[in-house]
Amino acid sequence: MAKSSPTFTLDPEYSGKALNLNIFPNKATTHEKKFELLVQLRTELANRIKTNNYPLKKTETEEVHQKPKHTVEQVLRMALDAKLKMKLSNRYKDDLTLVHRQFISFLTEQELNQPFDQIQVIKLEEFLSRYNSSGTYYMKKRSDLSILFSSGGKLTGNRSIARDTHTERAKAKLHTAYDKQKMKKLLAYLKEVSPTLHLCCLFTYGCWLRPHVEVLSLSKKQFKNDNTEIHLSGSENKGGKVRIVYVPDYVRTELETIIERLDDDVNIFSGTVEVLNRFYFTTQWKRLRIEMLEKKLIEDGQTIYSFRHTAAVEVYRRTKDIYLLQKLMGHSSITVTQKYLRSLGVVDIEEMKNFAPTL
């Protein structure tokens, strides 16, 4: 029986790869050839060790084959383009575009052209320090910048450093709901001076819709069952889920005179298939704001969204059912609803009375 030839593992030293050679003794077809290659491998290895050239130092050829170094400017551009192609809200995209433009303008040409993985945290913090007029403003800008760096890191196989930047504690902002009687006077005023804004506020309060996307984009086809329901698909509301809301009589009364003459695809505010500019209601509100303050119809800080806040407070105080409120408001989770209530300063006064310290 013929004696079998010895075999060797294919570690770099046994193949010659560690010496930048392709010897591969194990691939020899005869025992004699294998022995010859092993001797050659041993000789080459001994020579490299003798000349202090083992392990091998990187050569210029090896450097060429390393992954290309993308510059800061290239990576952030790729990151922004990737985000703009996603199905995200226009507001989200606008915020990312703004922070990208601001950061690119902040860096010098040399800093823009340095490899992405060499930019330092201190440079990001220097940029963010421009936006520390409030904790909330700083953290919003930090979040937008972090999104770009995180996306850029994933595209190039690098770790994002933006999350290592300094954080600020954002002070909670208390949103002010409307007094019910005062709100009725405000709605009467809006109906007289701006019917479209009046209708928007009715939808925001009575149907719990967000004014600048959900209300603004309403078309006739979304109203079902004799205009008693509004059906929104996942792409038509912020929560991303199918949403059906009830239309109260006082909203339907104002709506029906408008909607009866429209075709299904027509937007109820523009009168065409096109949706008005997303700042349309905001602009109308700003034009009337000073007069509304003078007439004491609103308080400083109250907005169109305050109608939605008022509806949330009323529902919760009446039902104490946070799960129902989540469904009505179209929130993605209970956590969002809890934060929403905290921002409104909603507390159970009766419960506090029961546990108040006594003297």
Short mmCIF file of all heavy atoms in Angstrom, two decimals, residues 176 178 183 186 190 196-205 209-212 215 278-286 292 298 301-310 340:
data_model
loop_
_atom_site.label_atom_id
_atom_site.label_comp_id
_atom_site.label_asym_id
_atom_site.label_seq_id
_atom_site.Cartn_x
_atom_site.Cartn_y
_atom_site.Cartn_z
N THR A 176 -50.83 75.15 25.44
CA THR A 176 -52.04 75.67 26.07
C THR A 176 -53.28 75.35 25.25
O THR A 176 -53.37 75.72 24.09
CB THR A 176 -51.93 77.21 26.24
OG1 THR A 176 -50.72 77.52 26.91
CG2 THR A 176 -53.10 77.74 27.05
N TYR A 178 -57.45 75.57 24.49
CA TYR A 178 -58.41 76.67 24.52
C TYR A 178 -59.45 76.46 25.61
O TYR A 178 -59.86 75.33 25.88
CB TYR A 178 -59.13 76.78 23.17
CG TYR A 178 -58.28 77.26 22.03
CD1 TYR A 178 -57.97 76.43 20.97
CD2 TYR A 178 -57.77 78.56 22.03
CE1 TYR A 178 -57.19 76.86 19.90
CE2 TYR A 178 -56.98 79.01 20.98
CZ TYR A 178 -56.69 78.16 19.92
OH TYR A 178 -55.90 78.61 18.90
N MET A 183 -63.08 79.41 22.75
CA MET A 183 -62.87 78.75 21.46
C MET A 183 -64.07 78.97 20.54
O MET A 183 -63.90 79.17 19.32
CB MET A 183 -62.63 77.26 21.68
CG MET A 183 -62.25 76.52 20.39
SD MET A 183 -62.06 74.74 20.64
CE MET A 183 -63.78 74.26 20.79
N LEU A 186 -63.75 82.29 19.05
CA LEU A 186 -62.67 82.29 18.06
C LEU A 186 -63.15 81.67 16.75
O LEU A 186 -62.88 82.21 15.67
CB LEU A 186 -61.48 81.50 18.62
CG LEU A 186 -60.31 81.24 17.65
CD1 LEU A 186 -59.73 82.55 17.12
CD2 LEU A 186 -59.23 80.42 18.35
N LEU A 190 -63.31 83.35 13.01
CA LEU A 190 -62.63 82.76 11.85
C LEU A 190 -63.60 82.48 10.71
O LEU A 190 -63.27 82.65 9.53
CB LEU A 190 -61.92 81.47 12.25
CG LEU A 190 -60.71 81.62 13.17
CD1 LEU A 190 -60.19 80.25 13.61
CD2 LEU A 190 -59.60 82.42 12.50
N THR A 196 -61.92 79.17 4.99
CA THR A 196 -61.08 77.97 4.82
C THR A 196 -60.31 77.66 6.10
O THR A 196 -60.19 76.50 6.50
CB THR A 196 -60.07 78.17 3.66
OG1 THR A 196 -59.33 79.38 3.86
CG2 THR A 196 -60.78 78.20 2.33
N LEU A 197 -59.81 78.70 6.77
CA LEU A 197 -59.11 78.50 8.04
C LEU A 197 -60.08 78.01 9.11
O LEU A 197 -59.75 77.15 9.93
CB LEU A 197 -58.43 79.79 8.48
CG LEU A 197 -57.55 79.72 9.74
CD1 LEU A 197 -56.47 78.66 9.59
CD2 LEU A 197 -56.93 81.08 10.03
N HIS A 198 -61.29 78.52 9.07
CA HIS A 198 -62.34 78.09 10.00
C HIS A 198 -62.62 76.60 9.84
O HIS A 198 -62.69 75.84 10.82
CB HIS A 198 -63.62 78.91 9.74
CG HIS A 198 -64.82 78.39 10.46
ND1 HIS A 198 -65.86 77.74 9.80
CD2 HIS A 198 -65.17 78.41 11.78
CE1 HIS A 198 -66.78 77.40 10.66
NE2 HIS A 198 -66.40 77.80 11.88
N LEU A 199 -62.74 76.15 8.57
CA LEU A 199 -63.01 74.74 8.30
C LEU A 199 -61.83 73.87 8.75
O LEU A 199 -62.02 72.78 9.31
CB LEU A 199 -63.29 74.54 6.81
CG LEU A 199 -63.73 73.13 6.38
CD1 LEU A 199 -64.99 72.70 7.13
CD2 LEU A 199 -63.96 73.09 4.87
N CYS A 200 -60.63 74.35 8.51
CA CYS A 200 -59.43 73.63 8.94
C CYS A 200 -59.45 73.42 10.46
O CYS A 200 -59.18 72.31 10.95
CB CYS A 200 -58.18 74.40 8.53
SG CYS A 200 -56.64 73.80 9.29
N CYS A 201 -59.76 74.46 11.19
CA CYS A 201 -59.78 74.38 12.66
C CYS A 201 -60.88 73.44 13.15
O CYS A 201 -60.70 72.74 14.16
CB CYS A 201 -59.97 75.77 13.26
SG CYS A 201 -58.56 76.87 12.94
N LEU A 202 -62.01 73.40 12.44
CA LEU A 202 -63.08 72.47 12.80
C LEU A 202 -62.61 71.02 12.64
O LEU A 202 -62.89 70.17 13.48
CB LEU A 202 -64.31 72.71 11.93
CG LEU A 202 -65.18 73.93 12.28
CD1 LEU A 202 -66.36 74.01 11.31
CD2 LEU A 202 -65.69 73.85 13.72
N PHE A 203 -61.92 70.72 11.54
CA PHE A 203 -61.40 69.38 11.31
C PHE A 203 -60.34 69.02 12.37
O PHE A 203 -60.28 67.89 12.85
CB PHE A 203 -60.76 69.27 9.93
CG PHE A 203 -61.75 69.04 8.82
CD1 PHE A 203 -61.85 69.94 7.77
CD2 PHE A 203 -62.57 67.92 8.82
CE1 PHE A 203 -62.75 69.72 6.73
CE2 PHE A 203 -63.48 67.70 7.78
CZ PHE A 203 -63.57 68.61 6.75
N THR A 204 -59.52 70.00 12.72
CA THR A 204 -58.46 69.76 13.70
C THR A 204 -59.04 69.46 15.08
O THR A 204 -58.54 68.58 15.79
CB THR A 204 -57.52 70.99 13.78
OG1 THR A 204 -57.03 71.29 12.47
CG2 THR A 204 -56.34 70.72 14.70
N TYR A 205 -60.09 70.16 15.43
CA TYR A 205 -60.73 69.96 16.74
C TYR A 205 -61.71 68.78 16.72
O TYR A 205 -61.61 67.87 17.54
CB TYR A 205 -61.47 71.23 17.15
CG TYR A 205 -62.28 71.06 18.42
CD1 TYR A 205 -61.66 70.98 19.67
CD2 TYR A 205 -63.68 70.98 18.36
CE1 TYR A 205 -62.42 70.81 20.83
CE2 TYR A 205 -64.43 70.83 19.52
CZ TYR A 205 -63.79 70.73 20.75
OH TYR A 205 -64.53 70.57 21.89
N LEU A 209 -57.66 65.71 13.38
CA LEU A 209 -56.70 65.63 12.28
C LEU A 209 -55.59 66.66 12.44
O LEU A 209 -55.80 67.74 12.98
CB LEU A 209 -57.41 65.84 10.94
CG LEU A 209 -58.46 64.82 10.54
CD1 LEU A 209 -59.02 65.15 9.16
CD2 LEU A 209 -57.90 63.40 10.56
N ARG A 210 -54.40 66.31 11.94
CA ARG A 210 -53.27 67.25 11.93
C ARG A 210 -53.48 68.23 10.78
O ARG A 210 -53.69 67.82 9.64
CB ARG A 210 -51.96 66.49 11.77
CG ARG A 210 -51.70 65.49 12.92
CD ARG A 210 -50.49 64.62 12.63
NE ARG A 210 -50.23 63.68 13.70
CZ ARG A 210 -50.74 62.44 13.78
NH1 ARG A 210 -51.59 62.02 12.84
NH2 ARG A 210 -50.43 61.65 14.78
N PRO A 211 -53.40 69.53 11.06
CA PRO A 211 -53.82 70.52 10.06
C PRO A 211 -52.98 70.61 8.80
O PRO A 211 -53.53 70.74 7.70
CB PRO A 211 -53.77 71.85 10.84
CG PRO A 211 -52.82 71.59 11.97
CD PRO A 211 -53.00 70.15 12.33
N HIS A 212 -51.64 70.54 8.93
CA HIS A 212 -50.79 70.90 7.79
C HIS A 212 -50.51 69.77 6.81
O HIS A 212 -49.89 69.99 5.78
CB HIS A 212 -49.47 71.48 8.31
CG HIS A 212 -49.68 72.61 9.27
ND1 HIS A 212 -50.42 73.73 8.94
CD2 HIS A 212 -49.30 72.77 10.56
CE1 HIS A 212 -50.46 74.55 9.99
NE2 HIS A 212 -49.81 73.99 10.98
N VAL A 215 -55.37 67.49 7.13
CA VAL A 215 -56.48 68.37 6.77
C VAL A 215 -56.24 68.98 5.39
O VAL A 215 -57.12 68.96 4.52
CB VAL A 215 -56.69 69.49 7.81
CG1 VAL A 215 -57.76 70.48 7.33
CG2 VAL A 215 -57.09 68.91 9.16
N ARG A 278 -48.00 73.72 1.85
CA ARG A 278 -48.18 73.24 3.22
C ARG A 278 -48.14 74.36 4.26
O ARG A 278 -48.48 74.14 5.42
CB ARG A 278 -47.14 72.17 3.56
CG ARG A 278 -45.70 72.62 3.64
CD ARG A 278 -44.80 71.40 3.84
NE ARG A 278 -43.40 71.74 3.94
CZ ARG A 278 -42.75 71.97 5.06
NH1 ARG A 278 -43.41 71.93 6.21
NH2 ARG A 278 -41.47 72.26 5.07
N PHE A 279 -47.72 75.54 3.86
CA PHE A 279 -47.71 76.68 4.78
C PHE A 279 -48.97 77.53 4.64
O PHE A 279 -49.06 78.61 5.23
CB PHE A 279 -46.48 77.56 4.53
CG PHE A 279 -45.18 76.84 4.75
CD1 PHE A 279 -44.38 76.48 3.68
CD2 PHE A 279 -44.76 76.50 6.04
CE1 PHE A 279 -43.18 75.81 3.88
CE2 PHE A 279 -43.57 75.83 6.25
CZ PHE A 279 -42.78 75.49 5.16
N TYR A 280 -49.93 77.05 3.86
CA TYR A 280 -51.13 77.84 3.55
C TYR A 280 -51.87 78.26 4.81
O TYR A 280 -52.14 79.44 5.03
CB TYR A 280 -52.04 77.04 2.63
CG TYR A 280 -53.35 77.73 2.30
CD1 TYR A 280 -53.39 78.79 1.39
CD2 TYR A 280 -54.54 77.32 2.91
CE1 TYR A 280 -54.59 79.43 1.09
CE2 TYR A 280 -55.73 77.95 2.61
CZ TYR A 280 -55.76 79.01 1.71
OH TYR A 280 -56.94 79.63 1.42
N PHE A 281 -52.22 77.31 5.67
CA PHE A 281 -52.97 77.63 6.89
C PHE A 281 -52.12 78.43 7.88
O PHE A 281 -52.62 79.33 8.55
CB PHE A 281 -53.48 76.35 7.56
CG PHE A 281 -54.53 75.63 6.77
CD1 PHE A 281 -54.44 74.26 6.57
CD2 PHE A 281 -55.61 76.31 6.22
CE1 PHE A 281 -55.41 73.59 5.84
CE2 PHE A 281 -56.59 75.65 5.50
CZ PHE A 281 -56.48 74.28 5.30
N THR A 282 -50.84 78.10 7.96
CA THR A 282 -49.94 78.84 8.85
C THR A 282 -49.87 80.30 8.48
O THR A 282 -49.90 81.20 9.33
CB THR A 282 -48.52 78.23 8.80
OG1 THR A 282 -48.59 76.85 9.15
CG2 THR A 282 -47.59 78.94 9.77
N THR A 283 -49.77 80.56 7.17
CA THR A 283 -49.71 81.94 6.68
C THR A 283 -50.99 82.70 7.02
O THR A 283 -50.94 83.86 7.47
CB THR A 283 -49.48 81.95 5.15
OG1 THR A 283 -48.27 81.25 4.85
CG2 THR A 283 -49.37 83.38 4.63
N GLN A 284 -52.14 82.06 6.80
CA GLN A 284 -53.41 82.70 7.13
C GLN A 284 -53.49 83.02 8.63
O GLN A 284 -53.96 84.09 9.02
CB GLN A 284 -54.58 81.80 6.73
CG GLN A 284 -54.81 81.73 5.23
CD GLN A 284 -56.18 81.16 4.91
OE1 GLN A 284 -56.76 80.42 5.70
NE2 GLN A 284 -56.70 81.50 3.75
N TRP A 285 -53.05 82.09 9.45
CA TRP A 285 -53.09 82.27 10.91
C TRP A 285 -52.20 83.45 11.32
O TRP A 285 -52.61 84.29 12.14
CB TRP A 285 -52.65 80.99 11.60
CG TRP A 285 -52.76 81.04 13.10
CD1 TRP A 285 -51.80 81.46 13.98
CD2 TRP A 285 -53.89 80.70 13.89
NE1 TRP A 285 -52.26 81.39 15.27
CE2 TRP A 285 -53.54 80.92 15.24
CE3 TRP A 285 -55.16 80.20 13.60
CZ2 TRP A 285 -54.42 80.66 16.29
CZ3 TRP A 285 -56.04 79.95 14.64
CH2 TRP A 285 -55.68 80.19 15.96
N LYS A 286 -51.02 83.52 10.76
CA LYS A 286 -50.08 84.59 11.11
C LYS A 286 -50.64 85.97 10.74
O LYS A 286 -50.42 86.95 11.45
CB LYS A 286 -48.74 84.37 10.42
CG LYS A 286 -47.90 83.25 11.04
CD LYS A 286 -46.59 83.09 10.32
CE LYS A 286 -45.73 82.01 10.98
NZ LYS A 286 -44.45 81.81 10.25
N MET A 292 -56.23 88.75 16.57
CA MET A 292 -56.84 87.78 17.48
C MET A 292 -56.32 87.99 18.91
O MET A 292 -57.06 87.83 19.87
CB MET A 292 -56.56 86.35 17.01
CG MET A 292 -57.34 86.00 15.74
SD MET A 292 -57.26 84.24 15.28
CE MET A 292 -55.52 84.03 14.87
N ILE A 298 -57.25 84.61 21.44
CA ILE A 298 -56.21 83.61 21.68
C ILE A 298 -55.21 84.16 22.68
O ILE A 298 -55.16 85.37 22.93
CB ILE A 298 -55.46 83.22 20.38
CG1 ILE A 298 -54.71 84.43 19.81
CG2 ILE A 298 -56.41 82.62 19.36
CD1 ILE A 298 -53.77 84.07 18.66
N GLY A 301 -48.84 82.06 21.99
CA GLY A 301 -48.40 80.67 21.90
C GLY A 301 -49.46 79.71 21.39
O GLY A 301 -49.15 78.58 21.00
N GLN A 302 -50.71 80.14 21.40
CA GLN A 302 -51.76 79.27 20.89
C GLN A 302 -51.79 79.31 19.36
O GLN A 302 -51.63 80.37 18.76
CB GLN A 302 -53.13 79.67 21.46
CG GLN A 302 -53.28 79.30 22.94
CD GLN A 302 -54.65 79.64 23.49
OE1 GLN A 302 -55.22 80.67 23.15
NE2 GLN A 302 -55.18 78.78 24.36
N THR A 303 -52.00 78.15 18.76
CA THR A 303 -51.94 78.01 17.30
C THR A 303 -53.11 77.18 16.81
O THR A 303 -54.02 76.83 17.58
CB THR A 303 -50.63 77.31 16.89
OG1 THR A 303 -50.66 75.96 17.41
CG2 THR A 303 -49.42 78.04 17.44
N ILE A 304 -53.07 76.82 15.53
CA ILE A 304 -54.09 75.92 14.97
C ILE A 304 -54.04 74.58 15.70
O ILE A 304 -55.06 73.96 15.98
CB ILE A 304 -53.86 75.71 13.46
CG1 ILE A 304 -53.93 77.05 12.71
CG2 ILE A 304 -54.89 74.74 12.89
CD1 ILE A 304 -53.55 76.95 11.25
N TYR A 305 -52.82 74.13 16.04
CA TYR A 305 -52.67 72.86 16.75
C TYR A 305 -53.34 72.87 18.13
O TYR A 305 -53.66 71.82 18.68
CB TYR A 305 -51.18 72.52 16.92
CG TYR A 305 -50.70 71.47 15.94
CD1 TYR A 305 -50.08 71.83 14.76
CD2 TYR A 305 -50.89 70.11 16.20
CE1 TYR A 305 -49.65 70.87 13.85
CE2 TYR A 305 -50.47 69.15 15.31
CZ TYR A 305 -49.83 69.53 14.13
OH TYR A 305 -49.42 68.57 13.24
N SER A 306 -53.56 74.05 18.68
CA SER A 306 -54.19 74.14 19.99
C SER A 306 -55.63 73.61 19.96
O SER A 306 -56.17 73.21 21.00
CB SER A 306 -54.18 75.59 20.49
OG SER A 306 -52.85 76.05 20.62
N PHE A 307 -56.25 73.59 18.78
CA PHE A 307 -57.58 72.97 18.66
C PHE A 307 -57.48 71.47 18.90
O PHE A 307 -58.32 70.87 19.56
CB PHE A 307 -58.18 73.26 17.28
CG PHE A 307 -58.65 74.67 17.08
CD1 PHE A 307 -57.84 75.61 16.47
CD2 PHE A 307 -59.90 75.06 17.53
CE1 PHE A 307 -58.27 76.92 16.30
CE2 PHE A 307 -60.35 76.37 17.35
CZ PHE A 307 -59.52 77.30 16.75
N ARG A 308 -56.43 70.87 18.36
CA ARG A 308 -56.20 69.43 18.56
C ARG A 308 -55.85 69.14 20.02
O ARG A 308 -56.30 68.15 20.60
CB ARG A 308 -55.07 68.99 17.62
CG ARG A 308 -54.79 67.50 17.58
CD ARG A 308 -53.83 67.23 16.42
NE ARG A 308 -52.97 66.09 16.68
CZ ARG A 308 -53.26 64.83 16.39
NH1 ARG A 308 -54.42 64.53 15.84
NH2 ARG A 308 -52.40 63.86 16.65
N HIS A 309 -55.05 70.04 20.63
CA HIS A 309 -54.72 69.89 22.05
C HIS A 309 -55.99 69.94 22.90
O HIS A 309 -56.16 69.16 23.85
CB HIS A 309 -53.78 71.02 22.50
CG HIS A 309 -52.49 71.06 21.75
ND1 HIS A 309 -51.89 69.95 21.23
CD2 HIS A 309 -51.67 72.12 21.45
CE1 HIS A 309 -50.76 70.30 20.63
NE2 HIS A 309 -50.60 71.60 20.75
N THR A 310 -56.87 70.87 22.57
CA THR A 310 -58.12 71.04 23.33
C THR A 310 -58.98 69.78 23.24
O THR A 310 -59.56 69.33 24.24
CB THR A 310 -58.91 72.25 22.79
OG1 THR A 310 -58.07 73.40 22.79
CG2 THR A 310 -60.14 72.52 23.64
N TYR A 340 -47.70 63.38 24.79
CA TYR A 340 -48.63 64.40 24.33
C TYR A 340 -49.40 64.98 25.51
O TYR A 340 -49.53 66.20 25.66
CB TYR A 340 -49.59 63.77 23.31
CG TYR A 340 -50.37 64.75 22.47
CD1 TYR A 340 -49.83 65.25 21.29
CD2 TYR A 340 -51.64 65.16 22.84
CE1 TYR A 340 -50.53 66.14 20.50
CE2 TYR A 340 -52.36 66.05 22.05
CZ TYR A 340 -51.80 66.52 20.88
OH TYR A 340 -52.50 67.41 20.11
#
